[in-house]
Amino acid sequence: MKLGLRGKILLPALGVVAVVTAITTALNYKLNHDTIESNVREEVSMVAELVAHELEVWLDDRVGDVRGWASIHEYVPAVTEGDEAAAGEFREVAERVVEERDVYLSINLINAEGDYVATSDRGSEGISVKDRGYFRRAMAGETVISEVITDRATGKPAFVVAAPVREDGEIVGVVSGVVDLEQFSEVNVESIKLFDSGYVYIVESNGRVIAHPNHEHVLKMNYRSKFDWGEELLTTKKGYLIYELDGLDKMAGVAHVKATGWIVGATAPLDELLAGASRLGNINIALGVGSLVSIALIVTFILRRTLRPLDEGVAFSRRIAAGDLTADMPVRSDDEIGQLAQAMNTMARGLRDAIGRIA
């Protein structure tokens, strides 16, 4: 196809503009995408860190409670001598705490043989826990937070905080509190929603889920054994990871709880997290197309005004060629095109004069 002068000027100009616009749009999209992704990483990581911090504070409170009860000297005769008055005093306090504070499922006083001598759950008195790991560690002098278990009375996820009872520096028993983990989960895990479908969860250091908005996962799913990315989750001390779950690419902020080794994850699908980047990308494309169309219109307008005298010159030349020597070409400017118009008018007058002399 043979191009006219307009096409020869317009097409290369638009080609250059299109390339520049495409490069600018791509660079803007990349910059915006990277900025939004960085902000999203910080946001999910911050949520995980905040929940982990709240959990650490909550655990510290539980440890403080149990240590406080274990340090009350009046309870010592209950574990050393089987003193019923001391046991009754402990039992009364334990029952009141369990009733007034929904965080404890039971509070127990245990003698050196591992037998409950007083408890808020009267039906459990006499039960032996001598083979439990938390009891042996507490008798060795540690304040212990056990692994998460299913409470036999309520079916809730729970864990035991145990601290040694001392008399004259010698460990003579243990106080334990069975803590309702679901109480923390309801407030600080299940109530948090990230974007449209994101959520927070907590897993133990072995990968077992101990808190999750979907209760069917709690104490039944193990991320380490079930998913390829489970090991990476457990070894990411702080920050984020990207993984696939149920066919969706997801990003999770990760934070560790120092006291227990538990891991808090704050996760959401990537397409939700980066929806802002996609919207900005579409806006950039629309702006690029709009700019290209605007520039095309402006260039076309300029070319039309610039080339209009040439069109008039062509029409003028054709009239002269057809024998119409009365034609005049409008002179619209003083530039080169205006000078060309003046020269063509001079030529036409010269032709008229020459023909007049011949006639």
Side-chain angles (χ1 to χ4, degrees):
M1 182 178 66
K2 187 175 180 180
L3 293 176
L5 184 58
R6 283 188 180 85
K8 291 178 179 179
I9 296 174
L10 182 60
L11 290 181
L14 291 182
V16 172
V17 171
V19 170
V20 172
T21 301
I23 293 174
T24 303
T25 300
L27 290 176
N28 284 336
Y29 174 77
K30 182 68 167 59
L31 179 61
N32 291 330
H33 184 280
D34 291 348
T35 300
I36 290 175
E37 184 173 346
S38 176
N39 291 338
V40 164
R41 287 198 301 266
E42 292 179 4
E43 183 172 348
V44 295
S45 298
M46 182 178 65
V47 171
E49 289 172 14
L50 287 174
V51 174
H53 174 72
E54 290 296 321
L55 182 53
E56 286 180 337
V57 171
W58 187 75
L59 290 171
D60 283 345
D61 288 343
R62 306 290 75 76
V63 169
D65 288 344
V66 174
R67 280 178 172 170
W69 297 322
S71 67
I72 297 176
H73 185 71
E74 286 76 10
Y75 300 152
V76 172
V79 295
T80 58
E81 305 169 10
D83 185 89
E84 185 54 39
E89 186 176 347
F90 178 91
R91 188 181 301 112
E92 181 181 349
V93 171
E95 288 175 345
R96 185 171 65 251
V97 171
V98 170
E99 181 179 355
E100 294 177 355
R101 299 167 61 184
D102 57 2
V103 66
Y104 291 102
L105 299 174
S106 68
I107 301 170
N108 316 291
L109 183 60
I110 310 166
N111 63 22
E113 288 72 40
D115 300 324
Y116 280 11
V117 296
T119 173
S120 60
D121 180 9
R122 297 194 178 214
S124 298
E125 290 189 359
I127 286 179
S128 175
V129 293
K130 65 179 181 180
D131 295 328
R132 303 291 174 85
Y134 68 81
F135 172 75
R136 293 196 299 268
R137 290 172 61 190
M139 286 298 295
E142 293 184 57
T143 298
V144 182
I145 298 176
S146 76
E147 66 178 13
V148 179
I149 58 174
T150 300
D151 180 65
R152 56 184 176 79
T154 64
K156 294 181 176 182
F159 59 92
V160 177
V161 179
V165 176
R166 289 181 168 88
E167 183 181 37
D168 298 328
E170 180 183 353
I171 297 173
V172 295
V174 171
V175 170
S176 71
V178 180
V179 182
D180 181 5
L181 181 57
E182 194 172 278
Q183 190 265 353
F184 177 87
S185 179
E186 288 175 353
V187 176
N188 297 284
V189 174
E190 297 174 33
S191 64
I192 296 177
K193 188 174 183 181
L194 295 175
F195 297 85
D196 293 332
S197 60
Y199 52 87
V200 173
Y201 58 83
I202 305 173
V203 300
E204 288 182 307
S205 58
N206 61 7
R208 187 175 60 151
V209 178
I210 57 175
H212 196 286
N214 185 345
H215 289 190
E216 293 182 0
H217 291 188
V218 177
L219 299 181
K220 298 176 183 177
M221 181 175 288
N222 188 302
Y223 284 173
R224 168 181 272 166
S225 60
K226 187 173 180 63
F227 302 112
D228 294 339
W229 46 264
E231 188 65 34
E232 183 181 0
L233 171 68
L234 301 181
T235 55
T236 301
K237 298 296 183 183
K238 181 180 179 181
Y240 75 99
L241 74 153
I242 295 175
Y243 61 98
E244 182 180 335
L245 179 64
D246 298 331
L248 295 175
D249 290 328
K250 291 192 169 188
M251 178 186 290
V254 180
H256 275 227
V257 180
K258 295 179 182 178
T260 58
W262 299 346
I263 299 98
V264 176
T267 185
L270 271 176
D271 58 355
E272 293 180 13
L273 295 173
L274 301 179
S278 298
R279 286 193 295 270
L280 282 177
N282 293 334
I283 291 172
N284 282 333
I285 292 173
L287 289 175
V289 172
S291 299
L292 185 61
V293 171
S294 299
I295 292 171
L297 292 174
I298 292 171
V299 171
T300 301
F301 175 75
I302 293 173
L303 284 176
R304 180 174 295 175
R305 292 198 61 182
T306 302
L307 298 180
R308 181 180 176 186
L310 295 181
D311 292 336
E312 292 173 341
V314 171
F316 174 80
S317 299
R318 287 174 177 168
R319 289 177 64 185
I320 295 295
D324 182 4
L325 300 181
T326 63
D328 280 316
M329 181 174 174
V331 179
R332 303 182 184 278
S333 65
D334 295 328
D335 57 15
E336 289 82 352
I337 294 178
Q339 293 171 15
L340 176 61
Q342 291 175 354
M344 294 182 74
N345 284 333
T346 300
M347 177 190 70
R349 285 194 296 272
L351 287 174
R352 285 197 299 269
D353 292 344
I355 292 173
R357 287 195 296 271
I358 294 172

